[in-house]
Amino acid sequence: MKKAIIGVIIAIVLVAVVGIGILVVNDFRQEDILRQEMLEFENLTRAENIDLDQIDQRIRELKTTGDYGVLEKAMKDYLADVVNASVSIANVLNDERIVNALTPENYAEDGPEFTQTKQFLEQAKSDMEQYKTEVLTLLTNEGAMSYIEDKNLDQYYIDLYKEIALSEDTAIEESNAELESSLDEAMKILDVETQVINFLSENKDGWEIQGENIIFNNQTLQDQYNEYISQIQ
């Protein structure tokens, strides 16, 4: 009888040990899958031509389950928002109306009041301010951690999120400073373009388009115009 009881106890212990072993192995496997998935997902966000549809599809396809699945979803949502904010900035700056704003063609077409150009530049500056704030907020530890703070995960998963999703504080600060500087330069271009358009509108009787050139009727206006243009060349 005693041997039978001991046998049952040993069997229970073995089952428990084997069960724990399976859970640990499964956890390691889940973590490996998560790391590989996030590496591939990050590669998508760093592609020269970002495919937003592919990113959206990848977000919906969770490769892990349980707490790892929660972790994976939070990481993907965070990276996707960073990408979307960055793409929004790129879309504003790549608009051909920015490139063409200070051209004789636009001067002739929209001048001398420049109603459409003024409206566009005002909207572009507003959008840039919004997207700049969004992306700089996202690219902070606080911004990244906001995607996981309400998930009720154990500290292990939070630490894993930090390891995979975040860089060192100094790296983030340097990256943010560089990005902010670049965005400020882009904003400066929009500001100068606005100044030029307002200048031309206010002095509409002082210039005309001849062929592919803008001609001013006095040197003072010419010098002022050249000063504006020199700021963005």
Side-chain angles (χ1 to χ4, degrees):
M1 183 67 175
K2 184 177 181 180
K3 289 183 179 180
I5 294 175
I6 293 175
V8 171
I9 293 175
I10 291 174
I12 293 173
V13 171
L14 286 175
V15 169
V17 171
V18 171
I20 293 174
I22 291 174
L23 289 175
V24 171
V25 170
N26 184 60
D27 271 0
F28 281 137
R29 182 171 178 275
Q30 290 274 299
E31 186 171 324
D32 287 342
I33 293 173
L34 175 62
R35 290 180 182 277
Q36 182 61 35
E37 176 65 8
M38 294 314 302
L39 177 61
E40 294 177 6
F41 185 81
E42 184 177 4
N43 288 338
L44 287 178
T45 66
R46 294 179 182 273
E48 183 175 351
N49 297 312
I50 294 178
D51 188 335
L52 294 180
D53 290 335
Q54 190 175 7
I55 288 176
D56 183 64
Q57 181 179 355
R58 201 66 178 255
I59 289 175
R60 299 173 186 276
E61 296 177 352
L62 297 182
K63 300 297 179 66
T64 55
T65 59
D67 288 340
Y68 284 99
V70 174
L71 204 60
E72 180 185 348
K73 183 65 164 58
M75 290 179 186
K76 287 183 174 180
D77 285 346
Y78 170 63
L79 284 175
D81 284 349
V82 171
V83 170
N84 287 333
S86 302
V87 169
S88 294
I89 290 172
N91 286 340
V92 173
L93 297 180
N94 288 333
D95 194 306
E96 63 179 11
R97 287 174 292 182
I98 290 180
V99 178
N100 296 329
L102 304 186
T103 62
E105 291 79 9
N106 188 57
Y107 295 166
E109 181 179 341
D110 197 31
E113 298 299 335
F114 295 100
T115 303
Q116 294 182 17
T117 305
K118 289 177 181 178
Q119 290 178 347
F120 163 72
L121 290 175
E122 182 179 358
Q123 186 62 53
K125 289 198 293 182
S126 176
D127 290 342
M128 279 293 294
E129 286 287 0
Q130 176 187 338
Y131 300 141
K132 173 186 173 182
T133 300
E134 286 181 8
V135 75
L136 290 178
T137 299
L138 286 168
L139 295 178
T140 61
N141 282 338
E142 293 79 7
M145 293 305 295
S146 68
Y147 285 74
I148 198 174
E149 61 187 10
D150 61 345
K151 305 302 182 184
N152 297 319
L153 293 172
D154 292 341
Q155 189 62 44
Y156 173 81
Y157 297 101
I158 295 175
D159 291 340
L160 184 59
Y161 179 88
K162 291 179 181 179
E163 177 190 342
I164 297 177
L166 300 179
S167 303
E168 296 293 331
D169 288 347
T170 53
I172 289 179
E173 290 174 2
E174 292 174 0
S175 177
N176 262 13
E178 183 178 355
L179 175 61
E180 185 169 11
S181 177
S182 297
L183 293 177
D184 286 342
E185 284 297 316
M187 293 292 295
K188 178 183 176 181
I189 292 174
L190 293 175
D191 285 336
V192 173
E193 288 197 348
T194 299
Q195 292 173 25
V196 172
I197 294 301
N198 287 337
F199 167 76
L200 294 177
S201 179
E202 292 165 2
N203 297 279
K204 56 187 174 183
D205 295 327
W207 58 273
E208 62 179 350
I209 298 299
Q210 294 182 6
E212 296 183 355
N213 299 302
I214 180 171
I215 305 298
F216 293 90
N217 58 22
N218 69 71
Q219 192 61 43
T220 301
L221 293 178
Q222 179 71 66
D223 291 343
Q224 182 63 61
Y225 178 80
N226 290 342
E227 174 62 24
Y228 283 130
I229 297 301
S230 68
Q231 296 179 42
I232 55 177
Q233 287 182 336

